[in-house]
Amino acid sequence: MNAAPLSWNDIPAVDWRGGPLDCAACEHRSLREGDACEPGRVCMQDAYARRIDRFFARHAQLAVQHLRHGYFEVRAIAARYVDLFHLTALLGDPDETVRLQLALRLPQRQLLQLRDDPHREVRIRVAQRLAVDQLASMLQDEDYQVRATVARRIASGLLPLLAADPDVTVRQEVARRIDMPALWRLAQDAEPEVRRIVAERLPPSLLGVFLNDADLLVRWEAAGRLPGHLVRAFLADADAEIRERALQRQQVLAGVAATSPEEFPHG
């Protein structure tokens, strides 16, 4: 076997078991005659995933033959190229890399079977693709990233079910999307990261709830959106940056009032 040119890749060409490549023993050795495979660059027996992918990209029709291959990378890459009808045979594959490929490709009906996959990355991909009306079944997933993904996509009417989630990342996602009056309840959240988002979205007339908030950034967000009747209270804040922010807001409101449409006659 001729060594691959160094310009192709400097990663040694070894088979997936760690031994030397043996083209003579390969079931696809006939492809060498037409340069349809190239050891060290395009080879499904190689340990390097990119070389395996190049092989199946050229020979997608051969992918179905390797769905039971002993090397998980071969199975996972073959799963990218086979038709959808053959993917269900891999639902019980022992390697999460293979099941991850299924989560990216399976139709919705089969995708449901991966909702309880033991690996979090697989379930995250499922939550990213699952139909919105099926996401409620993943609300109680044990992994916070799965629940956060659900919170980004689930129907807004179901977001209150995650408003008390134990993880702050999930509650942040909820705060970005939840409607009033449920948003109001998050103004009392224990974490400032959540309250800052609430301060960005709460109706201005309710921003007084943050007047004495312990977090400077929460008060700063609120001060930039105040209605006129709350500005004076924030002008007395203990922090100079908050007072400056409230003063700027007061000036903006005064400018709006000074250029009110009532001052200009209608044409």
Side-chain angles (χ1 to χ4, degrees), residues 155-157 159-160 174-185 201:
S156 59
L159 285 171
V174 172
R176 292 185 178 102
R177 298 187 57 224
I178 201 167
D179 298 323
M180 287 288 291
L183 176 63
W184 168 251
R185 293 196 290 273
R201 299 189 60 232

Side-chain angles (χ1 to χ4, degrees), residues 63-69 75 79 82-95 98-99 102 106-107 110 113-114:
V64 69
Q65 300 178 29
H66 297 287
L67 295 179
R68 299 296 183 187
H69 195 277
R75 301 195 306 276
V82 296
D83 60 76
L84 297 179
F85 297 105
H86 286 92
L87 289 178
T88 53
L90 292 170
L91 280 169
D93 194 280
D95 194 277
V98 178
R99 301 194 306 275
L102 302 189
L106 280 172
Q110 285 78 33
Q113 298 180 58
L114 291 175

Side-chain angles (χ1 to χ4, degrees), residues 141-155:
D141 192 278
E142 65 182 24
D143 187 87
Y144 79 96
Q145 285 286 14
V146 176
R147 299 195 306 276
T149 303
V150 171
R152 284 192 287 270
R153 299 189 59 234
I154 202 166

